[in-house]
Amino acid sequence: MKLIDVWRSKAYDERADRATLEPIWNTYFSLEKGFYQKLLPEKEPVKGTVKELCEKYGIDTFYMTGILDGINDSLVTPNDLEAMEEDSMISLEYDKKLLYKNMVAADADWLYNLEEWNEYFTEDEKKALYKEQKSSTTIVKETKVYPNDPCPCGSGKKYKKCCGKNA
């Protein structure tokens, strides 16, 4: 079974009860935070085999696979998770803004509030990225214009006597 299949079958097991899944996710979130605290200060893009990265960050293969699954959409070049094995070469070169916004999208405040982000973004930049991400998922409904409403063109006429004539 591929690494990613093992991770997904255990972490997302729909038949498992809360008592089974909660320890997996609690451990994952703790390891994930430590991982990013070490990754974000890195000056050069991190590359290596899955096994080497597990050793570097002190995370076992199971949880590292979950972290790689989580970061993959934020990478400059996503890794082929479906084919990934312990000896697969992978890159962790990430797009800083995209990673930050993906953490916001995941409501992972323990990650997007890490001190390590201060090296890359000011408070105002972080607020702007946060707002940009949140507004990108907000659905804005257009206001319905009824026949007796003032025409949106600004003529002062009723919609039905102005632009609504041709509708």
Side-chain angles (χ1 to χ4, degrees), residues 133-147:
Q133 174 56 42
K134 289 297 186 180
S135 66
S136 74
T137 57
T138 303
I139 298 170
V140 179
K141 281 184 156 182
E142 284 189 35
T143 336
K144 173 104 170 107
V145 180
Y146 294 95

Side-chain angles (χ1 to χ4, degrees), residues 143-152 158-161 164:
T143 336
K144 173 104 170 107
V145 180
Y146 294 95
N148 287 324
D149 288 346
C151 190
K158 288 185 177 184
Y159 179 68
K160 68 182 178 186
K161 298 280 186 181

Side-chain angles (χ1 to χ4, degrees), residues 97 100-101 121 125-133:
K97 289 181 180 180
Y100 189 86
K101 290 195 298 187
F121 306 121
E125 289 170 325
K126 288 191 284 187
K127 284 178 186 174
L129 289 170
Y130 182 92
K131 187 176 179 180
E132 184 180 328
Q133 174 56 42

